[in-house]
């Protein structure tokens, strides 16, 4: 069997098992989550042992400059982080059931009733970075929402991903649900997955811009994700200067590699003089490299790199920041919509009306007022675990939790009803709501 | 300017205008809809004159066998149908505002509040068949939901589409919104549209299987639609035989070209003997060509075509039907999930438990119990106008109304909040609901 055949087989099994999963009630799905949680606790030493193998390899890579320290840190499990794995599952088990919920119901005509129910999407492919806990988080969300998944983790975490997958499989096998989760371990298998549009309903890629774009361009399967996170903070002419500086520093330095870190700061020309010197000093103290446009450079008066058009289009993912002086709110909004990635953008202003215009016109998943861009996160938003952040304009946008793994189906119940009776005027539609549309 | 440049320019204009549209309140958007309605009424003679040109050309094509009578009929406007154009706009104006609705709100921490609002998708490309009224329906839905649209209608309706577009533009120009609607008039322009992923957020193709598949395979833009409509009716071993026959006849003959017409009937072996002869007679009387599997052929005992595996995969869109005897509910569900197009499938049974299993396991957008598949329609479902029917598992499924043209954005309001305060434990998340999640 070649890679394509193998992955197609996995995808088909996932699709088939998703129908079985969809039949389980919430108690059964939660029971499985808790059974996996216990099993991971019981087998923690195995997990740590396998993770240590990944660590050894990764440390060598760090020394050779092939892997960043940040990625290495994300990879490492210790006892505390390993304990957390079971907690993810337990937390997800506690959440409300996202499927089999009646969303609304309508009498189309007497004794002909339509019901809309939430239901799982089916089979989902998730491709993610090297944090091993993601295997557990995604499996938790998938089983909770009745979806089967095919997982491909970062190769740096290969041993960790494998042991976690094996342990999860041991539990799923007891429930005859081993087809619900599959592990892909090579790049070729990702390429093969992209051709499985007969069986896979959604692909969620997490990773570099380049990688997500590659996925989007090479499959007919719907893709949920974000290709980049070029987030902005715009400081309005009327803003609390201390707040603005604090928020920008937090947004840049709290976790520079995160997709919700700020990359570009736009300063209104009327406040630039008051904000810029102190902002630049504060950032420079925190080792942030400044990229200033001509106007900012002029105000700052000290040595800094000149920002080019490329800077406005760059996700640094590191301690670098671009700063530009702009003439008006409109120009700021235009810049953000043109250069941004429609992820998260924040305005600092004391004027509610200005913030309202910004909320209305900035075409991003998350638009903030006097808040650091770093708050753009599924856990922070109270969505529970996060399957990813989407900058797409369909299905799910912004931080995506369980809701993004759910769709709906219509059920219509009657007594031998035929449409021609309505066409011929013998019967009429009443369209009476039985249960209100909630959205 | 070549075709690609022209279409890209249209797409860019649409995207820009969509932001202006998004700012209008519901009264302003409804006012535009009603202004278009009045204008179409006032200029009805122009519309009928242009439609007559399409009719003349189409009639010649019908005579030469290049166009079906059904398509010709769909193309023709008379005074009554032209009056209806304004009614579509007036009806959509009456509907609830789908955008700027607060879906839910949550306190993340004291004085740090998150709000989720419905909002337009942005710029949408809609490619549709030759019914000229679709231009008006789509424009009505688009303006109501704050979206800009690029329209490509069937070439048979070229004159009608052009005059309707011109009249709509005359009104939009008064509101300085002429960029909100664009008309594409060639096949090359559709191909060009598929490359406008920088500006177009969603494509809704309506048309033949082949055409929708072509769109899906040739763009990175999300596609909402259905490639085919292979709908089934399964007659359970315990079913009301008269009801079953009536429903099947309605589902096949009420409008055979519709995507919600039934194509395959599955009969449980225990009821086949009782249903089949009478069903076949009734269908044959209505000029329906029968394609029977071996078992059905044996029971029927008369001359009929033998169904092959290809029949189970065929959307006849005409007066043909395939009939197969199956052994069990499970086998019926398996057949439907394997050969169907996940559009609309119905079970005829007197047993609620059997219907429940069918509802749960048939993986289709619409699953019906004792009802003709022909009820699968946005207007019938009480959704108002319909932008299309989707068999996708993301965004919107089944008949799609205004809701399918809407997404949401998150707004977070604070007072200089920084994430590191939470990371360092100085502040805690409260995640208190301000307004309940409705979904």
């Amino acid at each position: 069997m070649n890679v394509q055949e193998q992955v197609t087989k996995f995808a088909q099994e996932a699709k088939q098992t998703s129908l079985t999963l969809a039949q389980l009630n919430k108690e059964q799905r939660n029971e499985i989550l808790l059974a996996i949680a216990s099993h991971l606790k019981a087998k923690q030493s195995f997990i740590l042992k396998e993770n240590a193998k990944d660590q050894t390899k990764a440390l060598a890579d760090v020394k050779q400059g092939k892997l960043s320290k940040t990625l290495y840190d994300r990879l490492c499990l210790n006892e505390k982080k390993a304990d957390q794995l079971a907690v993810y599952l337990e937390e997800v088990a506690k959440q409300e059931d996202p499927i089999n919920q009646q969303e609304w119901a309508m009498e189309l005509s007497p004794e002909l009733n339509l019901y809309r129910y939430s239901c799982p999407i089916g089979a989902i492919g998730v491709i993610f970075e090297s944090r091993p806990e993601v295997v557990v988080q995604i499996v938790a969300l998938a089983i909770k929402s009745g979806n089967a998944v095919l997982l491909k983790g970062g190769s740096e975490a290969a041993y960790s991903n494998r042991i976690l997958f094996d342990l999860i499989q041991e539990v799923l096998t007891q429930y005859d649900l081993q087809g619900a989760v599959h592990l892909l371990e090579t790049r070729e298998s990702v390429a093969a997955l992209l051709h499985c549009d007969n069986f896979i309903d959604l692909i969620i890629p997490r990773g570099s811009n380049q990688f997500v774009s590659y996925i989007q361009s090479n499959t007919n399967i719907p893709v949920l994700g974000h290709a980049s996170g070029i987030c902005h903070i715009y400081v309005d002419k009327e803003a609390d200067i201390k707040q603005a500086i604090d928020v920008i520093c937090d947004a840049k330095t709290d976790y520079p590699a995160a997709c919700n870190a700020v990359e570009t700061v736009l300063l209104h020309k009327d406040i630039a003089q008051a904000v810029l010197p102190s902002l630049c000093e504060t950032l420079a103290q925190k080792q942030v490299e400044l990229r200033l446009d001509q106007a900012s450079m002029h105000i700052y008066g000290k040595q800094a790199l000149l920002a080019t058009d490329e800077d406005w289009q760059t996700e640094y993912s590191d301690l670098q920041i671009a700063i530009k002086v702009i003439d008006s709110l409109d120009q700021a909004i235009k810049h953000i919509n043109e250069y941004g990635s429609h992820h998260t953008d924040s305005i600092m202003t004391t004027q509610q009306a200005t913030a309202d215009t910004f909320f209305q016109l900035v075409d991003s998943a998350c638009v903030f007022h006097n808040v650091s861009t770093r708050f753009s996160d599924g856990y922070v938003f109270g969505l529970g675990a996060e399957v990813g952040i989407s900058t797409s304009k369909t299905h799910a946008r912004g931080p995506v939790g369980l809701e993004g793994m759910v769709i709906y189906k219509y059920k219509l119940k009657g007594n031998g009803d035929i449409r021609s009776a309505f066409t011929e005027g013998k019967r009429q539609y009443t369209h009476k709501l039985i249960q209100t549309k909630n959205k």
Side-chain angles (χ1 to χ4, degrees), chain A:
Chain A
M1 216 184 269
N2 66 27
V3 175
Q4 184 64 59
E5 286 162 354
Q6 181 62 57
V7 173
T8 304
K9 187 171 160 282
F10 282 173
Q12 189 167 10
E13 271 175 33
K15 184 74 176 187
Q16 268 161 10
T17 315
S18 75
L19 294 171
T20 314
L21 257 180
Q23 282 179 87
L24 303 181
N25 62 35
K26 69 174 173 199
E27 287 77 17
Q28 291 169 314
R29 280 175 277 123
N30 289 337
E31 184 190 314
I32 298 169
L33 293 180
L34 298 178
I36 297 174
S38 311
H39 197 52
L40 296 187
K41 274 188 222 167
K43 301 285 181 175
Q44 195 183 95
S45 59
F46 292 87
I47 299 170
L48 292 173
K49 203 174 127 197
E50 293 303 302
N51 182 253
K53 293 184 193 168
D54 286 326
Q55 290 190 34
T56 309
K57 191 179 166 299
L59 202 57
D61 286 349
V62 171
K63 282 183 186 150
Q64 289 174 41
K66 285 197 274 177
L67 191 76
S68 77
K69 184 68 171 47
T70 318
L71 276 178
Y72 171 75
D73 289 342
R74 287 166 76 167
L75 177 70
C76 295
L77 286 179
N78 50 30
E79 239 173 79
K80 196 178 149 203
K81 275 170 88 178
D83 282 343
Q84 185 62 30
L85 296 174
V87 177
Y88 292 128
L89 290 149
E90 289 158 2
E91 291 278 324
V92 172
K94 275 184 219 152
Q95 286 188 44
E96 274 179 46
D97 191 11
I99 58 170
N100 303 322
Q101 303 300 314
Q102 186 175 306
E103 296 179 348
W104 54 268
M106 188 185 268
E107 180 198 273
L108 301 188
S109 191
E111 293 191 63
L112 177 61
N113 294 331
L114 180 71
Y115 304 86
R116 195 166 104 170
Y117 273 83
S118 62
C119 67
I121 287 181
I124 303 178
V126 188
I127 306 152
F128 52 92
E129 61 279 29
S130 57
R131 286 183 300 140
E133 62 263 42
V134 178
V135 171
V136 178
Q137 287 170 339
I138 301 287
V139 167
L141 291 170
I143 292 173
K144 179 78 182 189
S145 57
N147 290 289
V149 277
L150 286 88
L151 302 167
K152 166 69 176 72
S155 56
E156 305 84 4
Y159 286 106
S160 314
N161 291 339
R162 186 78 219 179
I163 182 73
L164 289 168
F165 170 75
D166 286 344
L167 293 171
I168 291 165
Q169 276 296 340
E170 283 170 22
V171 177
L172 290 176
T173 305
Q174 290 168 28
Y175 292 88
D176 202 19
L177 286 170
Q178 57 279 13
V181 180
H182 293 272
L183 186 68
L184 307 179
E185 296 181 289
T186 62
R187 274 178 197 222
E188 297 70 46
S189 59
V190 172
L193 182 67
L194 303 184
H195 295 114
C196 296
D197 43 334
N198 278 336
F199 304 113
I200 302 297
D201 299 296
L202 177 65
I203 290 187
I204 304 177
R206 298 162 46 149
S208 72
N209 319 357
Q210 223 183 339
F211 174 68
V212 177
S213 300
Y214 156 75
I215 300 281
Q216 282 169 332
S217 302
N218 287 283
T219 187
N220 290 341
I221 304 170
V223 176
L224 185 84
H226 63 281
S228 59
I230 303 174
C231 301
H232 300 76
I233 295 178
Y234 163 59
V235 185
D236 184 43
K237 62 180 172 183
E238 293 172 88
D240 180 317
I241 292 173
K242 186 184 173 304
Q243 259 188 21
I245 293 172
D246 287 352
V247 162
I248 293 166
C249 285
D250 179 78
K252 181 73 259 179
T253 65
D254 182 54
Y255 189 178
C259 60
N260 58 16
V262 71
E263 309 295 357
T264 300
V265 169
L266 302 173
L267 296 177
H268 193 283
K269 65 177 166 44
D270 296 351
I271 206 168
Q273 200 85 38
V275 173
L276 212 129
S278 159
L279 173 65
C280 289
E281 286 307 324
T282 317
L283 288 168
Q285 274 166 26
K286 291 180 181 268
Q287 323 304 328
V288 179
E289 182 185 280
L290 305 169
R291 310 283 184 106
L292 307 184
D293 76 332
Q294 282 290 5
S296 314
M297 193 78 95
H298 184 73
I299 296 168
Y300 186 44
K302 295 194 193 171
Q303 192 61 38
L305 290 166
L306 185 69
T308 66
D309 202 57
E310 212 188 312
D311 283 288
W312 318 130
Q313 304 170 52
T314 301
E315 182 177 11
Y316 301 117
S317 301
D318 210 335
L319 287 173
Q320 287 158 304
I321 199 163
I323 302 181
K324 184 183 168 82
V325 173
I326 51 96
D327 292 335
S328 64
L329 172 67
D330 279 357
Q331 203 195 327
I333 292 168
K334 202 160 170 268
H335 180 102
I336 292 170
N337 285 339
E338 188 174 338
Y339 292 103
S341 48
H342 312 288
H343 187 297
T344 302
D345 302 289
S346 188
I347 184 172
M348 302 301 300
T349 182
T350 55
Q351 302 302 307
Q352 188 58 51
T354 308
D356 287 342
T357 306
F358 190 83
F359 275 134
Q360 185 71 260
L361 290 183
V362 169
D363 187 24
S364 298
C366 302
V367 190
F368 293 176
H369 176 201
N370 291 342
V371 180
S372 165
T373 53
R374 284 277 299 129
F375 284 92
S376 193
D377 173 278
Y379 171 72
V380 172
F381 276 16
L383 307 177
E386 173 184 292
V387 70
I389 292 187
S390 161
T391 55
S392 162
K393 299 290 278 292
T394 53
H395 189 57
R397 196 180 188 200
V400 180
L402 279 170
E403 201 186 6
M405 298 178 102
V406 165
I407 187 74
Y408 52 82
K409 79 169 37 163
Y410 286 102
K411 303 182 184 180
L412 181 61
K413 304 182 184 180
N415 302 283
D417 306 77
I418 56 175
R419 177 128 175 222
S420 54
F422 291 83
T423 319
E424 292 161 10
K426 292 178 196 153
R427 291 182 70 187
Q428 275 76 40
Y429 296 109
T430 50
H431 289 146
K432 230 185 271 175
L433 271 174
I434 301 170
Q435 184 199 312
T436 319
K437 277 184 210 192
N438 282 326
K439 202 183 156 182

